[in-house]
Amino acid sequence: METRLTDRKMEVEVFHDDVDGVSAEEETGAAVALKEEELMKKPAMVDGERVKRKAKRLVKHNSSERVPSNSMDFVVPHRRWKNSRRSRNGYGRGLPKKGGAGGKGVWGLPGSEIFEEDYEDQNDPNYDSDDKNIELKEVIPEVTPEEFFKRVEPIFLEYYEHGDTIEVAQSLYEDTRDPLRPLITSIAIEIAMDHKQSHREMTSVLISDLYGRVVSGSDIIRGFDMVLKNLPDLILDTPEAPTILGNFIARAVADDCIPPRYVTNPEIEELNEHAIVALKRAETLLNMKKGWAHLDNVWGLGGPRRPVKIITKQMTLLLQEYLSSRDLKEAHRCLLALEVPHFHHELVYEAVVMALESLNQSTEEALCNLLKSLDNACIISPLMMEQGFQRVFDDMTDIVLDVPLAYIMLDRFSERCSRAGILSDKTIRNMPSRGRKRFVSEGDGGQLKPQTPTFARDN
C-alpha cells in the first residue's frame, strides 16, 4: 500500500513538471553541478521515506550574471521571448544572433562589405583581364593662367579691405606653384589699375612684402615683362596704364625688389610703344633730385592718413585752380582723388569763405555752380553741404573782423545757393543776421528805457 502511494505521488510531480514546460535538462550548468554536489553530501534515502520535490520555474538570465537565489528575481513569460534574437538556451552573453547579421532581409553586418574580398567573375560581360596590371598614380592637374587669376583675384580684393600683407602671403604661398609665381605681380598690378591711388599704394607695399617670402626678384621681373606685353590691351580700359606701370616699376626699384638696370635694359626683345612710355616714366622718376625718397609718396598719401592741414591746403588749391580755369570735370577728379568723403564739409566751408572775401558776383556765381555740380554728381552729400554752411554761420563773428561786409555777402550768397537748390529752408533759417544801430527817426530807436524805481531804506 505504501509503495502504491509513493508511485502515485511520483506521477503527480512528473505531471506538474510537464505542465510548467521545464525539464531538468534545461537547468543551467551551474545549477546542475550544485544539485549533484548536494546529492553527494546527503545520505541515501531509506525505503518508504517520502520524496519532496518542487516544480521548476523558468528564469532567463545571462551566463555572466549570478544564478537567481530568491523569489524576488524577475521571471520573464514565454511570450516576451517570442521575437527576441537573443539565444534561448541559457548559454551565451545575451547578444543578438550572428552579431546582428541574421534575420530576414538582412545582408550581413553593417560595413562588412568593406572587408569582403573583391570577387571577379570571368563570365561577367564587364570583366577585363588586364585590370590586374593597372597601377594608379596621383595626378595633379595643371592650373591655367585664367584659372589662377580667378583664384587669386578675391585674395587681392580682400587685401584692399583689411590691408594685412601676412595673410595674403600665407594664402598665396599655399596655393601657388613655382611656374605661376610671376603671375602674382602681373595680376596684382592689373587689378590695381582699375582702383584708386590708395589701393595702388597698398599694391606697391604688398609687392615689397612678398619679395623674399613668396616671390623672388626674377619672378617680379617676369611679372613686369608680362604687364609690358599686355599694355596694348590694358590701355583700352585704362588710358593711363603706361604712366601707372612706370610708377610701379620706379617704386619697385626704390624698394630694392628689382635692380635699376631693368629700366634701361629690359629683358623683352621687342618693346611696343606703350612699354617704351612706361619705361621712360620710370627712368624719369628715378633720375629726379633728392634721391629715391620721394618715391615713397609716388601714389600720394592715402586720404585718412593725411594730416588735416595738408587736406585743407589741397582743397584751397583746388578752389583757386577752378576759379582760374572754370573746369568742373577737373575739379571733380581732384576732389575724388583726395579720397576724403568724410571731410567734404571743409571744401564747402572754404568755398563760402572765399565767396565772402571776394566781394565779386562772378566769383560767387562760379563757386555756386561748383557746389551745385558737386551736389548733382552726388560727390558732396547734403549732410556735408549743410555742415559746411553751419560752420560758416558759427564763425561769422571772427570772419566779420576781416570782412566787414561779411553778413551782407553771406545773405546774398546764401540766397543764390538757395535758388540753385543747394540749401534747404532749415539751413537758411539758421543763417545769422547782424543787428545794426537803430535811429530815433525809425520810431523805436530813440525811446529811453524806463527808469528803474528806487526804494529808500528805512533807518
Side-chain angles (χ1 to χ4, degrees):
M1 187 65 181
E2 293 180 356
T3 303
R4 290 181 181 179
L5 290 174
T6 303
D7 294 340
R8 182 61 178 172
K9 292 178 180 179
M10 294 280 292
E11 291 176 0
V12 172
E13 290 176 357
V14 171
F15 175 77
H16 284 297
D17 293 342
D18 294 339
V19 171
D20 292 338
V22 179
S23 61
E25 294 179 357
E26 295 180 352
E27 293 181 348
T28 58
V32 172
L34 182 61
K35 286 185 177 182
E36 290 178 356
E37 184 177 358
E38 290 177 358
L39 290 175
M40 291 176 64
K41 294 181 179 180
K42 290 182 179 180
M45 291 185 298
V46 183
D47 294 340
E49 187 176 341
R50 183 178 178 181
V51 179
K52 296 180 181 180
R53 293 185 179 180
K54 294 182 181 181
K56 305 294 188 300
R57 294 292 184 269
L58 178 62
V59 179
K60 295 291 182 178
H61 56 82
N62 295 335
S63 60
S64 61
E65 298 176 355
R66 64 177 180 84
V67 178
S69 58
N70 51 39
S71 60
M72 298 301 293
D73 291 331
F74 182 73
V75 180
V76 182
H78 291 284
R79 61 178 180 272
R80 296 191 180 181
W81 293 87
K82 178 180 178 181
N83 297 324
S84 176
R85 292 188 178 183
R86 291 189 291 180
S87 178
R88 301 183 183 182
N89 57 5
Y91 298 96
R93 295 172 297 170
L95 301 176
K97 293 180 180 180
K98 300 181 182 179
K104 187 176 181 180
V106 180
W107 286 11
L109 285 173
S112 60
E113 66 276 2
I114 301 176
F115 304 100
E116 294 181 359
E117 296 182 358
D118 295 336
Y119 174 73
E120 296 181 358
D121 187 6
Q122 295 183 0
N123 297 325
D124 189 356
N126 295 326
Y127 175 76
D128 188 1
S129 59
D130 297 335
D131 290 346
K132 297 181 180 180
N133 299 327
I134 295 177
E135 183 180 358
L136 300 178
K137 295 182 179 179
E138 183 181 3
V139 178
I140 300 176
E142 295 182 0
V143 181
T144 61
E146 292 77 11
E147 295 176 352
F148 185 72
F149 181 86
K150 294 180 180 179
R151 183 186 301 178
V152 173
E153 183 181 11
I155 298 176
F156 290 114
L157 295 179
E158 290 179 3
Y159 166 69
Y160 293 152
E161 299 294 334
H162 57 72
D164 189 358
T165 58
I166 298 177
E167 182 177 350
V168 178
Q170 293 176 353
S171 302
L172 296 176
Y173 183 79
E174 295 174 356
D175 300 337
T176 307
R177 297 179 175 274
D178 292 338
L180 300 175
R181 297 190 187 278
L183 293 174
I184 295 177
T185 305
S186 62
I187 293 174
I189 295 175
E190 290 178 5
I191 293 176
M193 286 184 178
D194 298 332
H195 287 75
K196 302 181 293 186
Q197 296 279 28
S198 59
H199 292 166
R200 294 167 188 169
E201 171 66 22
M202 295 175 66
T203 304
S204 296
V205 174
L206 178 62
I207 294 174
S208 177
D209 289 349
L210 293 180
Y211 173 69
R213 296 181 180 179
V214 181
V215 295
S216 60
S218 59
D219 295 332
I220 297 176
I221 290 175
R222 283 184 290 173
F224 279 120
D225 293 341
M226 294 179 183
V227 182
L228 289 173
K229 291 180 181 179
N230 295 335
L231 275 180
D233 297 332
L234 296 175
I235 201 173
L236 299 177
D237 298 329
T238 309
E240 300 177 355
T243 304
I244 296 173
L245 181 57
N247 293 348
F248 273 114
I249 294 175
R251 178 63 179 271
V253 173
D255 292 339
D256 296 331
C257 297
I258 58 176
R261 60 181 177 82
Y262 175 76
V263 179
T264 55
N265 298 319
E267 298 181 359
I268 303 177
E269 296 179 358
E270 296 181 0
L271 294 174
N272 53 66
E273 55 180 354
H274 304 294
I276 295 175
V277 173
L279 293 175
K280 287 184 177 180
R281 168 69 177 177
E283 185 178 1
T284 302
L285 293 175
L286 293 172
N287 292 332
M288 292 178 64
K289 297 180 179 179
K290 299 182 181 179
W292 295 345
H294 64 281
L295 294 177
D296 293 338
N297 298 327
V298 67
W299 304 112
L301 293 174
R305 296 180 294 176
R306 302 182 185 184
V308 176
K309 293 183 179 180
I310 295 179
I311 298 176
T312 303
K313 183 178 180 180
Q314 289 180 346
M315 288 185 175
T316 304
L317 294 176
L318 185 154
L319 293 173
Q320 293 175 356
E321 182 180 355
Y322 165 72
L323 291 177
S324 61
S325 63
R326 306 296 173 94
D327 190 354
L328 292 174
K329 292 183 178 180
E330 181 65 18
H332 292 185
R333 188 193 65 80
C334 293
L335 183 60
L336 292 175
L338 295 178
E339 300 179 9
V340 283
H342 59 283
F343 203 65
H344 284 172
H345 59 83
E346 180 66 23
L347 179 70
V348 179
Y349 176 83
E350 295 294 337
V352 176
V353 173
M354 192 173 293
L356 300 182
E357 295 176 350
S358 64
L359 303 177
N360 190 350
Q361 292 187 1
S362 62
T363 303
E364 294 178 8
E365 183 178 1
L367 293 174
C368 181
N369 292 336
L370 175 62
L371 295 178
K372 181 179 179 181
S373 64
L374 293 173
D375 182 67
N376 294 337
C378 297
I379 297 177
I380 296 181
S381 63
L383 179 61
M384 292 288 104
M385 191 74 67
E386 180 180 353
Q387 188 174 354
F389 273 91
Q390 188 63 43
R391 287 181 55 194
V392 177
F393 297 163
D394 296 339
D395 294 345
M396 283 300 296
T397 54
D398 297 332
I399 296 174
V400 75
L401 299 177
D402 300 328
V403 185
L405 300 178
Y407 283 98
I408 299 175
M409 302 301 298
L410 178 63
D411 190 7
R412 187 171 66 183
F413 186 72
S414 299
E415 184 179 357
R416 186 188 298 273
C417 293
S418 177
R419 290 197 302 267
I422 301 174
L423 294 180
S424 62
D425 296 338
K426 178 182 177 182
T427 306
I428 295 177
R429 286 195 297 268
N430 295 333
M431 183 179 61
S433 60
R434 183 180 183 181
R436 61 183 180 84
K437 184 177 180 181
R438 309 290 293 179
F439 297 97
V440 178
S441 59
E442 295 184 24
D444 59 348
Q447 295 182 358
L448 299 176
K449 294 182 179 180
Q451 186 177 2
T452 304
T454 57
F455 301 94
R457 292 183 179 180
D458 297 334
N459 294 332

